């Protein structure tokens, strides 16, 4: 089991929490701090005990370092995780090499009835 303990009041991980949610709640209520949910849920850190705790301002600065999907505003651990998200969760136009939020957006993009879509260039 990972050490899902509070690094502020239980640095030796003698009393781990059963879920990430309980750890997050504890840190917020008892210490008025936050963990980065992106780092916590990325699976890159096997021991949440090792993750830093942040004030709101510090967390905002930290979160700015994580890439954000321009289509759906989801935040990712790194660009590799975001690219995987784009490949799986969004539609891709092989003509112009752009991603779209969904199939409807891609279909609208590909419309060429008025000769302005990407197919008009072919």
């Amino acid at each position: 089991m990972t050490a899902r303990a509070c690094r502020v009041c239980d640095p030796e991980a003698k009393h781990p929490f059963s879920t990430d949610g309980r750890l997050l709640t504890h840190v917020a209520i008892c210490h008025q701090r936050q963990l980065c949910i992106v780092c916590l849920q990325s699976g890159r850190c096997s021991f949440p005990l090792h993750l830093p705790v942040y004030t709101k301002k510090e967390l905002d600065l930290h979160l700015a370092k994580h890439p954000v999907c321009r289509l759906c505003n989801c935040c990712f651990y790194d660009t590799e995780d975001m690219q995987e998200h784009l490949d799986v969760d969004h539609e891709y136009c092989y003509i112009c090499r752009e991603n779209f939020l969904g199939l409807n957006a891609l279909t609208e993009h590909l419309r060429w009835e008025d000769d302005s879509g990407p197919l008009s260039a072919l």
Side-chain angles (χ1 to χ4, degrees):
M1 177 177 155
T2 61
R4 217 182 262 122
C6 176
R7 75 179 294 154
V8 178
C9 62
D10 187 18
E12 294 180 16
K14 292 182 179 180
H15 307 284
F17 293 91
S18 59
T19 66
D20 290 342
R22 289 184 178 181
L23 173 61
L24 291 168
T25 300
H26 165 81
V27 171
I29 291 172
C30 295
H31 307 295
Q32 291 76 46
R33 297 284 189 270
Q34 299 173 318
L35 291 166
C36 176
I37 193 88
V38 177
C39 291
L40 183 63
Q41 293 181 345
S42 73
R44 303 289 172 93
C45 180
S46 299
F47 298 99
L49 179 65
H50 297 154
L51 293 174
V53 294
Y54 301 101
T55 63
K56 172 74 170 109
K57 186 175 181 178
E58 291 168 341
L59 182 61
D60 289 344
L61 291 171
H62 170 78
L63 284 171
K65 297 175 184 177
H66 288 296
V68 176
C69 175
R70 65 177 177 77
L71 298 171
C72 66
N73 292 324
C74 288
C75 193
F76 296 91
Y77 184 79
D78 59 18
T79 53
E80 184 179 309
D81 286 355
M82 187 173 71
Q83 186 59 52
E84 182 179 332
H85 160 77
L86 287 169
D87 294 344
V88 171
D89 296 328
H90 295 298
E91 302 300 327
Y92 182 75
C93 175
Y94 290 94
I95 298 168
C96 69
R97 294 180 159 75
E98 288 289 324
N99 286 93
F100 293 87
L101 186 58
L103 191 55
N104 287 342
L106 176 61
T107 302
E108 186 66 30
H109 165 74
L110 291 172
R111 286 202 177 155
W112 52 283
E113 296 146 345
D114 61 353
D115 294 329
S116 65
L119 294 177
S120 63
L122 299 178

